[in-house]
Amino acid sequence: MAEGHSAPGQLTLEDRRHESAALDGLLAAVRAGRSGALVLRGEAGIGKTALLEHAVASASGVRVLRATAVESEMELAFAALHQLCGPMLDRIDRLPGPQRDALATTFGVRAGPAPDRFFVGLAVLSLLSEVAHKQPVLCVVDDAQWLDRASAQALGFVARRLFAESVALLFAAREPGEELAGLPELVVEGLQDAYARRLLKAVIPGRLDERVADQLLSETGGNPLALLELPRGRSATQLAGGYALPGALSLSGRIEESFLKRLAALPKDTQRLVLVAAAEPTGDPALVWRAAERLGITGPALESAESAGLIEVDGRVRFRHPLVRSAVYRAASPNDRRLAHRALGEATDARVDADRRAWHLAEAAAGPDEDVAVELERAAGRAQARGGLAAAAAFLERASDLTPEPLRGAQRALGAAQTKYEAGALDDAVALLATAETGTLDDLERARVHLLRGQIAFASRRGSDAPPLLFKAARELEAVDPGLARTTYLEALSAGRFAGRLARGVTLVEVSEAALAGPPPPQPARPPDLLLEGLAIRFTRGYAAGAPILKEALKAFRRKTVLPPEEARWLLLACRVAADLWDDENLTLLSARELERCRNAGALSAIPLALDARTWTHVVSGELDAAASLADEARTVTEATGVATVPYAPLWLAALRGKESELLRLVETTVRAAVSRGEGFALAITELVSAVLYNGLGRYETALAACRSAGTFSDLVGSPRGPESELIEAAVRCGELQVAEQALERLAGTTRASGTDWALGIEAHSRALLSGGDIAESLYREAIARLGRTRVRMQLARSHLLYGEWLRRERRRLDAREQLRAACEMFSAMGIEAFAARAERELLATGERARRRTVETREELTPQEAQIARLAADRLSNAEIGARLIISQHTVAYHLRKVFNKLGITSRNQLSRALPEAATAKVTA
């Protein structure tokens, strides 16, 4: 082919060998059973869409799924995801039940509660994996900068969790949003000079002045679309001599101007038809024609637009380039845009797509319109019924804008803010609250504004700014909604627990006094009502006074195995109360139930905190491998969702394993973050775990220093008197007996009120440290007996250690060896290395050498392989493991094959025997 007559499409890819090779490599990996994601980033017209088309054309043997994001649909939740997943919905029944239900609700197949937005991403991952099991899949998303937030979150989630599913995600965006940040990226730049000149010659039939060519090449920066479009409409004189070439507009503006000049040369009906198509993002030809007929558009309007290279119709109405759509829509007058949307709204069947009809009618409104606002409100209700919180919020926000009556508009803005909050769009919720407050609100609505501000503050920072806001809202709600007031007081107490010593503006005592003086609970009292009363009494009258009611609250939570949502949300606080009451039985049961509830609901954003509560039960039970597995799961969820949590479990694991440098690093980052947001509870935990570490290492002065700080925070929910027992041990070893005696008095005030074997066992060995002779021995034996009846194996081992140390100092070496040997073996089996080393030193001092446990070594498993192997050994299916670790079941199978090869086994049944003991510790929910 002669140079001057080369096809422009071919020429624009001649200088894209690097980019084409990257796309070909992505496709080759998918065909080989691997997965990947790639974002093509570049300015408008740079050639991203051409590269996408190259990938699609090269995808032989690969199933291609496509979606194009549209600016006007950015507020419609899951609009782009629906485009992408629509062709796969026939496979939805093959997904695990909760994931199937999440997608069915999201896409309006059935009504149901709003699924967690990240769980929708997991369901999409599973769906793609299921489809790719038959044939590799390429997902192509153009104009990703205009993805609706829900779709962007889900697709970003999927892209980060792909591994061995034979799935590729390919995005094109001018500037990717934060949801796609961090994904592999390929920057698409302008054509090199030689290729750009060839492209110009291919599209300009006559003589082109070299100076004009130089100017075009310089101003376009090698942008292919600019090179194709800018010369169009220029006269031969302009191109030959460079006269009157524009230079004021930006590059994308000049490209759009070129499209608009072509549009302006077309008949009026064609221009109006193209505007209707630009306003209708689904590309439904029948809908476009119905709307055109309502505008009186007849004749060959479509043919003129196709001949001009603006749009094409091949089952869908498609624009030649996304810039054409945006240029046409933005250039139209507001009135013309409203007329196009009105025609589309009237042409949309309300029985088939009532929500999109309402959206078009809203865009058609020139001013306040209560009828349209009502339609939008109904659309919001439908969106919520299918779990589309983001869409519901968008409908309510627009309804608020169109409401003529100020009070009703403010109410709708408040409803939109509430829905935005529930959808996780906290910044948008704050902005809508400001809008709501400008209107005329009644007392209940104004109190709800303050409540929502407090909830947003707690959700975003979990720090000291939330309790005063929640307290204020609770006080205001007393007169207008007593039930909601009580719930808000409970929220304020929960938030105050996290603020702790960094609280400002209101104290736990003030909140508790107001709650007790506020509206009485309904009869019979529900579990949360008992929880509020017990906590309020505890913070005003003391631990012993509140304990009986809190015990009743825990019994009530335990009795009601199925709780309504408004009560189930307090299960996590109930777990913290169980820890505070030294109640290992209810702590174990309720934490398992809460984690199961979150998993069954697919609430990925709530799972990290539920995992933290469950991990704590394994920590105190000395099941560090199980705790580590859940901590890994929490980290996986956190990385996948971006929901930040404090790493309490890693802090405990580092302390108990004696990893001082790791703990110091974790403490430093935790303290810095906690201080910045005002979360005092995190500070107390860092001090407590530091005391545990240094008591284990036998560095009692350092442990005592850490305890002195932590002890000031020991009266808050969820810290089961750890500071006092650690303080007593460190103080006795340092000769600070008065300090130890005072701590013992505080400790006994809680252990006696608790009355559990856990509590009384801790008190017994703590009191023994301050005693001597027969009394001390009797107390150590009591501690061992009591703790032996609990799940708290870690503290049982510590009682054996303390008793053995006392016996050695009493010169009873044989008796000491028995206790120290038991302690050493228990600590070693649990992996509590610091205390194991301390027990071994004491045992050596009796003249006996400790026999440390050894483990058969095999070819090393990666952390993820070990985690999957543990769960498989625990008889979880591939689908269940995938849901836990947020990967597809096919990726689970891939890792298990590698595990089998490394361990030399052929089935899951052999895992328990083949894995080292540490890797097969039972991992329960």
Side-chain angles (χ1 to χ4, degrees), residues 654-708:
L656 292 172
R657 287 171 170 168
K659 297 182 178 180
E660 182 179 10
S661 59
E662 180 181 337
L663 180 64
L664 290 174
R665 177 180 55 80
L666 287 170
V667 165
E668 181 182 359
T669 56
T670 300
V671 167
R672 187 186 309 119
V675 170
S676 69
R677 65 176 177 269
E679 185 179 345
F681 184 75
L683 300 183
I685 292 296
T686 62
E687 292 155 351
L688 175 56
V689 296
S690 297
V692 170
L693 169 72
Y694 292 116
N695 271 335
L697 294 174
R699 290 158 57 181
Y700 301 112
E701 294 84 358
T702 309
L704 180 59
C707 287
R708 289 184 190 274

Side-chain angles (χ1 to χ4, degrees), residues 904-923:
I905 60 176
T906 58
S907 74
R908 310 164 78 95
N909 295 331
Q910 299 170 291
L911 276 170
S912 295
R913 294 190 301 274
L915 283 170
E917 184 180 348
T920 57
K922 181 84 169 173
V923 181

Side-chain angles (χ1 to χ4, degrees), residues 38-49 52 68-72 74 141-147 170-178 180-181 185-189 223 225 250-257 259 319-330:
L38 183 64
V39 179
L40 301 178
R41 178 169 67 85
E43 65 184 20
I46 202 67
K48 303 184 299 296
T49 300
L52 294 184
T68 299
V70 180
E71 189 174 12
S72 62
M74 290 182 72
V141 181
D142 202 358
D143 269 343
Q145 74 275 0
W146 287 333
L147 281 169
L170 182 58
F171 302 92
R174 298 178 194 176
E175 282 295 336
E178 63 181 29
L180 303 183
E185 191 175 89
L186 181 61
V187 178
V188 183
E189 298 178 332
N223 184 296
L225 185 62
S250 67
L251 178 58
S252 60
R254 297 198 331 254
I255 298 173
E256 291 187 353
E257 182 190 45
F259 287 130
F319 282 85
R320 177 172 176 264
H321 191 277
L323 280 178
V324 180
R325 182 192 293 273
S326 62
V328 168
Y329 191 81
R330 291 175 183 174

Side-chain angles (χ1 to χ4, degrees), residues 554-896:
L554 294 182
K555 289 179 182 177
F557 275 108
R558 184 168 182 167
R559 280 194 303 268
K560 295 183 71 171
T561 55
V562 179
L563 293 164
E566 65 273 11
E567 295 182 22
R569 61 184 288 226
W570 297 112
L571 263 174
L572 196 59
L573 182 56
C575 292
R576 294 169 184 145
V577 167
D580 187 56
L581 290 173
W582 312 82
D583 186 345
D584 58 306
E585 184 176 349
N586 276 319
L587 174 61
T588 301
L589 186 146
L590 295 179
S591 63
R593 186 180 295 173
E594 169 63 359
L595 183 54
E596 181 182 16
R597 183 185 73 85
C598 291
R599 282 176 172 155
N600 289 343
L604 293 186
S605 53
I607 280 178
L609 286 176
L611 282 168
D612 182 70
R614 186 62 181 160
T615 301
W616 168 243
T617 68
H618 290 302
V619 167
V620 297
S621 300
E623 299 164 348
L624 297 199
D625 290 307
S629 181
L630 294 184
D632 286 341
E633 183 181 340
R635 184 172 58 251
T636 297
V637 176
T638 299
E639 290 172 352
T641 62
V643 176
T645 58
V646 175
Y648 293 131
L651 285 165
W652 277 107
L653 290 169
L656 292 172
R657 287 171 170 168
K659 297 182 178 180
E660 182 179 10
S661 59
E662 180 181 337
L663 180 64
L664 290 174
R665 177 180 55 80
L666 287 170
V667 165
E668 181 182 359
T669 56
T670 300
V671 167
R672 187 186 309 119
V675 170
S676 69
R677 65 176 177 269
E679 185 179 345
F681 184 75
L683 300 183
I685 292 296
T686 62
E687 292 155 351
L688 175 56
V689 296
S690 297
V692 170
L693 169 72
Y694 292 116
N695 271 335
L697 294 174
R699 290 158 57 181
Y700 301 112
E701 294 84 358
T702 309
L704 180 59
C707 287
R708 289 184 190 274
S709 298
T712 63
F713 192 47
S714 62
D715 61 341
L716 289 185
V717 177
S719 177
R721 309 291 61 76
E724 281 89 353
S725 61
E726 298 298 333
L727 176 58
I728 293 165
E729 184 172 336
V732 168
R733 294 293 188 243
C734 292
E736 297 274 1
L737 299 185
Q738 185 176 1
V739 172
E741 288 168 355
Q742 291 170 348
L744 179 61
E745 185 178 352
R746 292 194 301 270
L747 179 69
T750 64
T751 55
R752 302 294 172 84
S754 165
T756 67
D757 279 324
W758 180 5
L760 296 175
I762 294 294
E763 182 192 343
H765 83 213
S766 297
R767 192 174 294 280
L769 283 164
L770 285 161
S771 304
D774 293 343
I775 294 176
E777 183 157 22
S778 175
L779 287 168
Y780 281 127
R781 289 186 176 278
E782 178 188 348
I784 290 170
R786 286 189 179 279
L787 292 170
R789 294 194 289 267
T790 73
R791 295 175 173 85
V792 192
R793 309 298 292 174
M794 177 180 68
Q795 292 293 353
L796 174 61
R798 289 185 70 173
S799 290
H800 281 293
L801 173 60
L802 291 172
Y803 186 23
E805 290 174 332
W806 180 82
L807 287 168
R808 187 181 72 78
R809 285 165 176 76
E810 292 291 308
R811 301 184 184 278
R812 294 165 56 182
R813 289 191 174 189
L814 292 178
D815 292 337
R817 286 174 186 173
E818 180 184 352
Q819 299 300 323
L820 293 170
R821 193 182 303 119
C824 191
E825 290 175 355
M826 290 178 70
F827 284 132
S828 296
M830 291 185 285
I832 301 178
E833 295 300 324
F835 283 96
R838 177 175 148 187
E840 184 176 5
R841 289 194 301 271
E842 290 287 332
L843 194 55
L844 286 170
T846 69
E848 178 175 322
R849 179 171 295 278
R851 295 187 297 274
R852 300 293 298 277
R853 186 184 62 164
T854 60
V855 181
E856 179 185 2
T857 58
R858 295 182 179 270
E859 185 176 352
E860 185 177 356
L861 302 179
T862 68
Q864 187 165 47
E865 288 168 355
Q867 189 177 14
I868 289 171
R870 284 195 297 261
L871 294 172
D874 203 28
R875 302 187 183 280
L876 271 70
S877 69
N878 286 4
E880 290 170 327
I881 296 171
R884 291 273 185 97
L885 305 184
I886 317 181
I887 53 179
S888 74
Q889 58 181 313
H890 298 299
T891 292
V892 174
Y894 169 85
H895 283 299
L896 278 177

